[in-house]
Each structure stands twice: as C-alpha cells, then as structure tokens.
Amino acid sequence: MKYEYIRDTFLDFFQNKKHKIIPSFPIYLKDDPTLFFINAGMNPFKEYFLGHKKPEYTRIVNVQKCLRVSGKHNDLENVGHDNYHHTMFEMLGNWSFGDYSRKETIEWAWELLTKVYNIPEKNLYISIFIGDEKEGLSMDKETFQHWKTFINKENLVFFGKEENFWEMGSIGPCGPCSEIHIDLRNKEEKEKIPGKYLINKKNPKVIEIWNLVFIEFYRRSDGILEKLSTKHVDTGMGLERLCMVLQGKFSSYDTDIFFPIIRDIKESLGGIYKEEFNQDISIRIVADHLRALVFSIFDGQLPSNNGAGYVIRRLLRRAVIYVTRFLYQKEPFIYKFVDSLVRRMKNSFPELEKKKDYIQNVIKEEESSFFQVLEKGYERIQHIILKAKERNQKVLDGKSLFQLYDTYGFPLKLSKIFAEENNLYIDEKSFEKRLLKQKEKSHKKKNIIIKNDWIKIHSNQFFSEKNNFIGYDFLECHILIIQYRKIEDKIKENHYYELVFSKTPFYPEGGGQLGDTGFIKNDLEKIFIEKTKKENSIIIHIVRKLPVNIYSRFQAIVNKNRRKKIEKNHTSTHLLHFSLKKILGEHIQQKGSYVGEDYLRFDFSHPKKITIEELFQIEEMVQKLIFSNLPLEERRSIPLQEAIKKGYNGIFYEKYEKEVRGITFGDSSELCIGTHAKNTGCIQVFSIVSELSVSYGIRRIKAFTSEKAIQYLKSIHFQEKSLRKILNNTESTIKSIFSLQEQNKKLKKKLEKLQFQQIKIFKKEYLLKAIQLPSITYICDISFEEKDFDLNLFKKIILDLRNVISNLFMVVGFIKDKKPIIFISISDHIIKNKNIHANQIIRKMSDYIHGKSWGKSFFATAIGSNQNGLSLVLKTTKEYLKYFRYL
C-alpha cells in the first residue's frame, strides 16, 4: 500500500462513520503559550476537552502534523538510531466530543486494522489500564469487556498509570487509554517468546501503532483528579509506523515516505557513501530533520535564538553536525534535498510547491551560518585536546566540553570521537552534572509561574463565549466577575489575579494588537486592568488585587485614549500592507505584526532590501489613503469560502471556522479580529521610521502615526536645521554633503599614497631583519614600546610579506593602547611541508599575555592585558628559531 492510499483510506473510513474531515493545523502553535509546536493530534482541541469552546462537529477526523523534539514527549535521541522514531510525524486521529465512547472506538479501530488494512489479528496485542490505587482509579473494565469480543484473551495485556493513563501535561484533561501494539517478528522469533511479554519493552519489532484515549478526568494544579461532565475520545496513530507495517518494512525509513529522499541523498554522495553504520544513521537523520524543517518553516516558524525558533535551529544544527562528521561535507548540503521532499509530498501537500525556493534559501542560509560556528567549535576541541596533551592528561575536562556544547551546540558524542582518535577519555560525569544543573535551572524558570485553579464566583448562565466580547461597539459596560484565579511568581515573590467577566469591552491581545488596559469600579473601589489576553478562547483580565466584594456588579471602562492610538496604528498596518502589494508586488505576504499605542511594526515576505525611492512611494501611498478619509467597512460574519472568493487578505489555512471577520478601507480588504479607526482621516500622518531584514526573505517596517509621527518629523526637521547651521547655513544640505564626500574621497586617496609609502618602508625594515635558514625565512620583531599605527595597515604589511616570501615564519609583538598584541604569519609552503600552524602556536602565546587569540593556520592574532608576557613570547620564538635550524 502506498503512503497516499493509507492516508486517504483512514480519512475515508471515518468519514463513512459520520466524522467531519478537517485539514491539519499548522505545526507551529503561535497562539498557544504552553506549547511551541503541536506534539499530539489533540493539542488544537484542548478547548473542547476543557469545555471552554463548543465544537462545531462532535465527530472529527484528520491527519495532524506533529513535532516532538523536547519535553515529556521527546523522541529526538532515538531518531535515526532506531527504526521507527521521528521528530516530525503525521498523526492519524479520530475524535468524539461528547458523542460516542469506548464501544464504537474499539469496534471501529478493530474493523479498520483487520478488515480494511488486513493486518492479521494474531499479530495485534491490546494494552488495558489496570488501575491505580493511589489515585483511586479502578481497572478499565468497560474497555476490557469490549476488547474481549474481538481478540483472544492471550493478546490482552495490562499496565498501570505510566503506560495506560494519558495526560496532556501536569494540569489538564486526561484519562485511561488502550494501546494497540503489533508484533512484526518472524515465526522463529515468535516461537521463542510470545509477543505479549515484549510489549513496552523497547523491542524494535514489537511496537505501539495506535493509542485510544478516553478523556474523562481533569488534573487540577493541586494534583487532584476531577471527573469531567462530558466524556471525550481522542485517538492517535502514527502514519509513518502504519506505512511500515502495511508496506512490510522493518524500518519506517524504508517506506515510500522516506526512501526516495534517502536514495537521493546517497546518490549525491557518490563514492563518499560506503554503507557504514554512522553514515546510514546520518542519512536517516538528514531525511527526518529535513522533513521537520520544511513543514515548520512552511507553517511560519523560522530558525532563531529563542523559543520555537531555537528548537528549529537546534534541529538543523544537529543534522549539520552528522553531515560534516560522517558524510564529510564542508559546505551547505541539506538544503539541496528540499526539492526531493517536496516532490515526494506534493500530492498530499500541494501548497509546498509555492514556497519551495523560499524554504530552500532559509535552510541554506542557516547551514552557512552554522558552518562558521562549527569551524570555531572544531578549532576549540582541537585546542582542548592540545592543552590536555601538553599537560599529559588522559581525560578531557567535562567543564570545557560542556562550554563547547553550550556555546557552539557541539555534541558530547562528537567530542568523544575526537578524544578517542587522540587516545583520550572524557569526563562524562562532570559534563552530565553541568547539563543537569542547566536543565534544573531551565526547569525552574519554566515553573516560576504557578497558576492556581479557577474559583467560580457566578454561574456560567451569566457567561456566553460567543457574545462575551462587546469591545467593537462599546468601551464600557456593567459586568459580573464569573471566575478568578491567583497567579504566583516565585522568582519575583509576588502575585496577581486573572479575572473572567460575564461580558467585556476589553480587547484581548491578538492579531498583533496589544490588549486593552483600563479599570473596573463600583461605589467602593477602582481596580486597574493591567493587561487583557485570551486563553483557551476565554478573555482574561489581569489585576494586582481582588475587589473587596468580588460578588458585586462592576462598571468596566477601557482606557479610551490608548485604544484610539492603537486603532490608528492597526488601521495603518492594513494600509501599509495594501501599499506594499501595489508597489512591490503581489508576492508580499504578512509574516507578523506588532500594534501598540506608540508605534506599529509590520513583517512581510520580500527577497531584497527596499530602496529609498520605493520606501518614499510606499509612505506616499499610505498618506494618500489617509487623506482620502476612507470609512471603515466591517463585516463580522462572512462565510469563509466567500471571503476567499472576494480576495480578502488572510492566512486561510490557519482558520477553520465557517464564519470570519472582514475589514475594508477602500480597496484594502483583510480578515482581521482587531479594532480599527472609524475612518482613515483620523490617522492624520504616517511616517516610516526604519526598514530592515529580520531573517532570510523577511523584511520589517517600523512606523509612527498621528501625534507620534508629527513629533518624529519635527525632530528630523530640527536635525536638518542644525545640520545646515554646521554647514554654514547652506541652501542645500544634500549638495553640501555631496561636496564633503568628494573632499573625503580626495583625502582618502592622499592617505592611501602615504600608507603605500609607509608599507614600503616597513617591508624594507622587516626584510633586513629576516634570518635565512636552509628551509625557512624567519622574522621576529618583539617590541616593548607603545606603537601608534593603524592595526589594519600593519596586518596588510604582514600578509603582503607572506605573499612575497614563500617560506616565511614571522612573529611580531608590540604594545598599543597599553595592551600587548601578537601577530603570527606563516606561508602555505611551511604549513603544508612542516605542519606548523599559526593558530596553534598563538594559543600558547596568548596565555603569556593573559589574552584571547583567534585566526587560521596562515595568520593569527592575540590581544591581552599582561605586557610583561611579551618577554616569554620572545623567549618561545627564539626556541622556535633553534628548532627550525634542525628542520
């Protein structure tokens, strides 16, 4: 069975069981602060399980893109090394939100596996929750009774909470689960030991393929389990493992999902590929990680230094390390196979084709950047090894190796390989101790915020999720506090409260727009709202203290002045987006935004820097739209398909609601949940402050509007007047600056002539100091005097001499700005034939001057703080002179 057929069969089967097929949600969860990526098919449906949101359909089926590289559900270390773990995988899932339960779930799972996919019944084993005395949970007898009607009792196994009680996290919906395992061993292996004894024993041929979870409890923050009022079903089956089973493979890397990509990688290596164990692991890692990278970047997450972006960067860097170490690649390699992956996946994901080039360039740029980092890492490990050998140490220090891992992402495994090649060991205990300390520190940071359970104040009859937000029409209203909870910050040793109102005029942070501030009041007191946000579709208001009488009725009032400023900036982002498309092209896509009261920021896709002329045109077009005084046209409930047909700008694949909200100003139409100015005229002035690159293919514009823009333009006018004064009240500032630039060019030419003369003089002086040996030309000039010349010029002189003298070994030391400086230059002939490297020698010399060193084999530099160390540099250089006499 082909991958596409297996995938479609699953969807068709449950569609026939009256399930609604929905597309995969983006793998990157930008609106969920608890997760970087979707790591299980149920993540997008948390709100339904919690009862915060009513599902549109009670039966749903989909194939969800998932990523597991960190946290509780972390498969990263197994990826590539075993036959079935992956970072990114597709989760086949069917859900019931208060509809069917165990009977139908088990019946359909059995029917699909044995009657549709034709998996032999004897190869399947079912695990059932045996109960947990401490939790007060009894055995899942209902599941046991249903399974007994389908499968032999010998194929039923029982496990405790760790294996058969599924929890989303430390807090949240949970329940007993029943896992379906398959025995892929041959007849001989099965006769030796029955499959039931290998369940959950990490046997690569006896694996779980489907998990049926019965969500019926809620885990509170204090650890207590509460029964949910409504029971749900959540199932998940890895498509990669199912393909492995149905295609008769013992590794998911041999299935038609991965095999075409792996084949292309092997062919590209040519004679480099030797069918070695480490090479095969490396190729599997590249194929797996590439898939995760492509889908993550496509769904909007770029590599970066923090959050979800760091996860993606770490994944790519892990692949690059295997590529350099075992596939012997010294330049970007992984990006070349984006085309292979897209070609394989485009039948199921046709949208990948449009972004293929963009994704390829992002990966290539990230690889290039990491190759530079790796070079430093390789140099560093060699330095650590050299130091150990000089001190006759047999064990490499764990602290140094951890710094290498922490700074450069250099894995311990690689350090271990380098150590073994040099007959050295590594202090793994010391390394692990530091790693554990870092993890504990990180874990503490994650857990500094403690969210207590919600305390109900008024009945839910006063609350309507659908009509809760009234802030499009009103900036104040009367409210009741429905529920609240205390949030404790253990690091800052303070706390605050989150309140939910019966209805609210406060806009929650979303769509790039900051949340509202303001206050609630009654006759007794006024409580300030510091922030408004949304969590699980509920609008939350943050306050520092609770009202004295929390049961009272309050008047909620939004900070009107702040809201108006934000609205002007939000409307301006729409006008800016429209203008960018008109002037730069229809390829422009929004990639993020920030809308506050002080400024707006707009990120968008564009392959090159915007010229000054283009920026002027963009700014001018936005200003014309403002002066046109275009009125706000708002449609709060547009059918999604109608919005697509009418050309509203929006990221449609992220939206699955039938109805969407549209905002129009003239010819600019966008899907948007934010608040806006009533007409463009009230914005008054728009001014672009900056334009820059955020990452490959992503540009960012920052702009001011209204009073802030006027202040900004006034400050520029003042600066221009001041500049005129400096330029003797010239009529044209630009002409004067051009004139100064011409004068500067002439002076530079004169300076270059002087420098050329200086270079000739220095060269002659050094050539006179050169000592000719049989195989080397030796120049040493160590001075203890303060020098006052340009270092770049001095570097040029030394590099020029290296090109003139084919067998040069040169050491120069002096003091500049009270700091000792050392230069070492070696010709290529000496490096190749005598195996002498400048960067290795200077590391030792840098210790003498208490400094830092950097460079390559042909030229290296050190700068320090201990001037007296230059005498040791001179002594060491003289020792090299004695050594060279015998070469």
Side-chain angles (χ1 to χ4, degrees):
M1 288 185 191
K2 298 282 186 185
Y3 156 79
E4 287 87 358
Y5 178 79
I6 295 167
R7 199 176 189 272
D8 293 343
T9 298
F10 183 86
L11 295 171
D12 292 343
F13 178 85
F14 281 102
Q15 188 177 42
N16 290 332
K17 304 294 184 186
K18 298 179 181 176
H19 288 64
K20 173 68 178 176
I21 298 175
I22 65 165
S24 172
F25 288 83
I27 201 168
Y28 166 52
L29 274 177
K30 65 181 181 184
D31 294 325
D32 189 340
T34 64
L35 286 169
F36 286 147
F37 297 93
I38 288 179
N39 61 21
M42 61 78 62
N43 290 157
F45 305 117
K46 283 193 296 184
E47 299 175 39
Y48 301 155
F49 294 134
L50 293 166
H52 293 149
K53 195 171 183 179
K54 192 175 179 182
E56 206 170 323
Y57 309 97
T58 57
R59 297 183 181 189
I60 283 175
V61 62
N62 87 335
V63 185
Q64 176 60 50
K65 295 174 286 186
C66 299
L67 189 70
R68 289 183 183 175
V69 290
S70 59
K72 178 184 172 185
H73 305 289
N74 178 8
D75 300 328
L76 184 60
E77 290 308 312
N78 298 317
V79 172
H81 292 268
D82 68 15
N83 63 335
Y84 58 91
H85 278 107
H86 299 284
T87 49
M88 183 224 157
F89 56 96
E90 293 184 76
M91 185 70 88
L92 302 164
N94 60 288
W95 288 270
S96 161
F97 304 114
D99 191 330
Y100 59 83
S101 191
R102 285 167 169 78
K103 181 180 182 297
E104 295 87 348
T105 306
I106 291 166
E107 183 183 313
W108 293 337
W110 189 253
E111 181 187 347
L112 178 62
L113 292 178
T114 61
K115 303 293 188 290
V116 179
Y117 287 137
N118 295 314
I119 296 173
E121 295 179 14
K122 63 181 181 180
N123 291 343
L124 296 173
Y125 290 85
I126 312 299
S127 69
I128 297 166
F129 180 53
I130 202 167
D132 189 279
E133 196 176 328
K134 286 182 182 177
E135 295 272 14
L137 297 168
S138 57
M139 175 187 159
D140 190 351
K141 291 178 182 175
E142 188 184 343
T143 297
F144 175 59
Q145 292 300 326
H146 289 307
W147 274 122
K148 274 200 310 181
T149 63
F150 294 107
I151 195 165
N152 191 308
K153 280 186 183 180
E154 287 301 307
N155 287 47
L156 294 175
V157 291
F158 300 88
F159 288 94
K161 199 177 85 170
E162 190 176 333
E163 294 86 1
N164 278 89
F165 192 86
W166 197 92
E167 302 201 46
M168 188 177 70
S170 56
I171 300 170
C174 52
C177 64
S178 180
E179 294 177 342
I180 301 172
H181 299 255
I182 189 164
D183 188 349
L184 300 173
R185 296 174 302 152
N186 60 36
K187 189 179 178 183
E188 280 183 24
E189 290 171 314
K190 288 175 181 176
E191 284 174 354
K192 284 181 183 177
I193 180 169
K196 67 185 296 181
Y197 299 114
L198 297 175
I199 303 298
N200 292 327
K201 299 294 183 185
K202 296 184 178 179
N203 186 299
K205 294 182 182 179
V206 183
I207 57 172
E208 174 206 336
I209 55 167
W210 204 350
N211 192 10
L212 316 178
V213 183
F214 308 112
I215 303 285
E216 49 193 40
F217 295 99
Y218 178 79
R219 177 78 68 184
R220 292 185 351 192
S221 61
D222 58 9
I224 293 172
L225 285 175
E226 282 183 352
K227 278 222 170 194
L228 293 173
S229 58
T230 307
K231 293 181 179 181
H232 310 283
V233 172
D234 156 29
T235 85
M237 175 159 56
L239 180 53
E240 294 75 14
R241 292 191 191 186
L242 185 60
C243 285
M244 181 176 81
V245 172
L246 298 179
Q247 292 175 15
K249 307 294 183 183
F250 289 112
S251 169
S252 54
Y253 292 101
D254 293 332
T255 66
D256 64 344
I257 299 172
F258 289 100
F259 178 74
I261 303 158
I262 287 172
R263 181 194 57 214
D264 288 352
I265 295 170
K266 287 179 180 178
E267 285 177 0
S268 78
L269 291 169
I272 294 170
Y273 178 60
K274 307 292 184 186
E275 296 188 28
E276 295 172 351
F277 176 71
N278 283 328
Q279 284 195 330
D280 286 333
I281 287 175
S282 301
I283 290 167
R284 290 199 293 268
I285 285 171
V286 170
D288 172 274
H289 289 14
L290 172 71
R291 188 163 170 249
L293 289 162
V294 166
F295 280 98
S296 299
I297 294 166
F298 176 83
D299 282 347
Q301 183 51 64
L302 295 169
S304 68
N305 281 332
N306 48 57
Y310 181 65
V311 173
I312 295 302
R313 174 164 285 170
R314 190 161 59 93
L315 203 60
L316 186 136
R317 289 184 170 190
R318 183 174 186 264
V320 170
I321 285 167
Y322 279 91
V323 161
T324 57
R325 183 63 192 149
F326 301 113
L327 305 182
Y328 312 112
Q329 301 300 307
K330 302 300 178 189
E331 56 186 29
F333 175 78
I334 297 166
Y335 81 96
K336 296 174 184 177
F337 304 99
V338 170
D339 194 52
S340 298
L341 186 134
V342 171
R343 194 166 57 244
R344 176 64 200 90
M345 305 302 291
K346 68 181 178 183
N347 289 338
S348 298
F349 300 94
E351 62 273 15
L352 284 175
E353 189 73 45
K354 291 178 185 176
K355 276 191 166 184
K356 182 180 68 177
D357 293 342
Y358 168 72
I359 293 167
Q360 199 170 40
N361 285 324
V362 169
I363 294 174
K364 185 180 181 181
E365 188 177 81
E366 189 68 20
E367 280 191 90
S368 299
S369 171
F370 187 50
F371 267 104
Q372 294 172 18
V373 172
L374 261 188
E375 190 176 338
K376 292 177 183 176
Y378 284 131
E379 282 183 12
R380 185 71 190 141
I381 187 69
Q382 294 298 343
H383 178 58
I384 292 167
I385 289 167
L386 189 66
K387 285 277 184 187
K389 283 183 174 179
E390 284 174 0
R391 295 167 184 162
N392 293 319
Q393 293 174 342
K394 287 290 180 186
V395 181
L396 296 185
D397 175 33
K399 181 183 175 183
S400 300
L401 297 178
F402 180 75
Q403 286 173 343
L404 190 59
Y405 161 80
D406 199 34
T407 307
Y408 301 112
F410 207 82
L412 185 65
K413 284 179 184 176
L414 263 185
S415 295
K416 199 172 183 179
I417 290 166
F418 278 112
E420 286 170 357
E421 285 175 355
N422 287 273
N423 298 315
L424 298 169
Y425 301 95
I426 60 172
D427 185 356
E428 285 193 61
K429 282 186 179 178
S430 175
F431 180 93
E432 293 296 338
K433 189 178 176 182
R434 282 172 170 79
L435 185 62
L436 184 65
K437 212 178 244 185
Q438 188 193 59
K439 284 181 179 177
E440 285 172 355
K441 195 176 178 182
S442 174
H443 185 68
K444 280 179 185 175
K445 281 183 180 178
K446 286 179 186 175
N447 291 286
I448 58 173
I449 304 295
I450 296 174
K451 294 184 176 183
N452 291 286
D453 292 318
W454 288 105
I455 296 171
K456 293 273 185 185
I457 301 299
H458 286 98
S459 165
N460 276 350
Q461 69 184 38
F462 296 103
F463 177 83
S464 167
E465 179 202 321
K466 191 173 182 182
N467 303 312
N468 184 243
F469 178 64
I470 61 168
Y472 294 135
D473 303 306
F474 303 99
L475 293 181
E476 52 184 270
C477 67
H478 287 95
I479 59 103
L480 290 171
I481 296 172
I482 298 296
Q483 61 186 30
Y484 77 91
R485 66 181 174 188
K486 187 178 182 180
I487 310 295
E488 298 175 81
D489 188 329
K490 291 298 181 183
I491 296 294
K492 294 179 181 176
E493 296 183 347
N494 62 18
H495 63 269
Y496 56 90
Y497 298 90
E498 294 182 343
L499 313 179
V500 176
F501 301 159
S502 53
K503 57 184 174 179
T504 180
F506 289 87
Y507 177 81
E509 185 172 330
Q513 180 176 329
L514 292 186
D516 281 332
T517 61
F519 56 88
I520 57 171
K521 70 171 186 174
N522 58 18
D523 294 337
L524 297 173
E525 59 188 328
K526 182 191 271 190
I527 305 290
F528 286 94
I529 307 293
E530 295 187 2
K531 187 178 179 182
T532 310
K533 63 178 185 175
K534 202 169 190 178
E535 189 176 296
N536 297 322
S537 77
I538 292 177
I539 297 173
I540 290 169
H541 310 80
I542 293 170
V543 298
R544 285 290 158 188
K545 65 173 186 174
L546 289 175
V548 174
N549 182 5
I550 202 163
Y551 296 91
S552 170
R553 184 175 287 271
F554 295 88
Q555 188 178 7
I557 301 171
V558 173
N559 182 333
K560 298 178 183 68
N561 187 41
R562 181 175 178 272
R563 166 76 88 85
K564 281 182 180 177
K565 288 178 180 177
I566 289 172
E567 287 177 341
K568 289 174 185 179
N569 282 338
H570 201 154
T571 298
S572 296
T573 62
H574 284 222
L575 304 182
L576 174 60
H577 191 187
F578 176 79
S579 302
L580 286 166
K581 277 182 170 288
K582 288 292 177 186
I583 291 162
L584 300 181
E586 286 299 317
H587 65 280
I588 297 290
Q589 286 186 346
Q590 181 177 342
K591 293 296 176 184
S593 65
Y594 168 91
V595 182
E597 69 266 39
D598 291 331
Y599 69 94
L600 66 94
R601 189 184 70 221
F602 191 76
D603 296 350
F604 55 97
S605 57
H606 188 59
K608 58 185 178 181
K609 184 176 173 62
I610 301 172
T611 65
I612 292 171
E613 291 75 19
E614 286 171 333
L615 276 177
F616 177 77
Q617 287 178 310
I618 292 161
E619 195 174 63
E620 191 175 41
M621 181 174 277
V622 174
Q623 193 62 59
K624 280 180 180 177
L625 293 169
I626 289 169
F627 287 154
S628 298
N629 203 28
L630 301 168
L632 164 66
E633 293 176 34
E634 177 193 23
R635 288 186 65 188
R636 292 188 189 171
S637 187
I638 316 171
L640 179 60
Q641 292 307 314
E642 184 187 331
I644 294 169
K645 283 178 187 175
K646 289 196 172 181
Y648 278 84
N649 276 322
I651 308 170
F652 291 101
Y653 65 83
E654 291 187 358
K655 300 176 183 293
Y656 300 114
E657 291 83 4
K658 285 182 177 178
E659 307 289 327
V660 290
R661 179 172 178 258
I663 296 296
T664 298
F665 291 97
D667 293 328
S668 165
S669 294
E670 293 196 30
L671 299 183
C672 183
I673 59 170
T675 64
H676 286 273
K678 300 304 175 191
N679 59 68
T680 61
C682 66
I683 299 168
Q684 297 173 306
V685 180
F686 173 87
S687 184
I688 293 173
V689 179
S690 63
E691 186 275 337
L692 50 84
S693 170
V694 180
S695 59
Y696 178 82
I698 306 293
R699 309 297 301 179
R700 172 174 291 171
I701 282 178
K702 180 180 174 182
F704 292 150
T705 66
S706 203
E707 294 97 332
K708 189 88 176 177
I710 292 167
Q711 289 169 9
Y712 173 69
L713 292 171
K714 277 185 175 180
S715 71
I716 289 175
H717 180 61
F718 175 76
Q719 288 171 32
E720 201 267 344
K721 282 173 74 177
S722 301
L723 191 57
R724 274 192 187 190
K725 196 173 181 181
I726 292 166
L727 297 169
N728 298 318
N729 294 313
T730 178
E731 286 184 13
S732 172
T733 312
I734 293 171
K735 278 184 180 178
S736 295
I737 289 170
F738 279 145
S739 176
L740 285 172
Q741 285 178 332
E742 285 301 315
Q743 288 177 39
N744 193 39
K745 280 180 186 176
K746 288 174 183 176
L747 288 170
K748 273 186 176 178
K749 283 180 180 177
K750 285 182 180 179
L751 184 61
E752 282 170 4
K753 284 181 181 178
L754 288 170
Q755 286 177 342
F756 181 72
Q757 293 300 322
Q758 201 174 2
I759 287 168
K760 284 176 73 176
I761 292 164
F762 270 115
K763 274 186 181 178
K764 281 182 181 179
E765 287 179 2
Y766 279 128
L767 287 169
L768 289 170
K769 291 177 181 179
I771 299 170
Q772 299 292 333
L773 297 175
S775 60
I776 209 162
T777 300
Y778 183 92
I779 298 174
C780 175
D781 182 30
I782 306 296
S783 171
F784 296 89
E785 294 177 4
E786 182 83 24
K787 300 285 186 183
D788 184 26
F789 44 58
D790 182 82
L791 287 180
N792 288 324
L793 177 69
F794 204 68
K795 181 180 174 182
K796 189 178 186 320
I797 293 164
I798 294 170
L799 288 171
D800 277 359
L801 281 168
R802 180 182 174 276
N803 293 326
V804 171
I805 303 169
S806 63
N807 62 344
L808 176 69
F809 178 87
M810 182 175 185
V811 180
V812 178
F814 53 88
I815 296 164
K816 182 171 170 59
D817 300 327
K818 297 182 180 178
K819 290 181 178 180
I821 296 172
I822 309 164
F823 287 120
I824 299 178
S825 183
I826 304 175
S827 68
D828 292 337
H829 177 78
I830 300 296
I831 295 165
K832 185 179 178 181
N833 295 302
K834 309 298 181 185
N835 197 26
I836 297 168
H837 300 266
N839 54 340
Q840 291 176 0
I841 296 169
I842 208 159
R843 283 186 192 127
K844 186 176 182 180
M845 291 184 173
S846 68
D847 289 343
Y848 300 153
I849 60 171
H850 301 170
K852 289 183 178 179
S853 66
W854 63 93
K856 296 188 177 180
S857 56
F858 65 89
F859 183 82
T861 310
I863 298 178
S865 57
N866 178 28
Q867 297 180 11
N868 295 327
L870 285 174
S871 57
L872 288 171
V873 172
L874 180 61
K875 185 181 175 185
T876 304
T877 308
K878 286 178 178 177
E879 287 171 4
Y880 272 105
L881 180 58
K882 291 176 187 174
Y883 169 68
F884 290 143
R885 289 184 189 277
Y886 297 101
L887 281 176

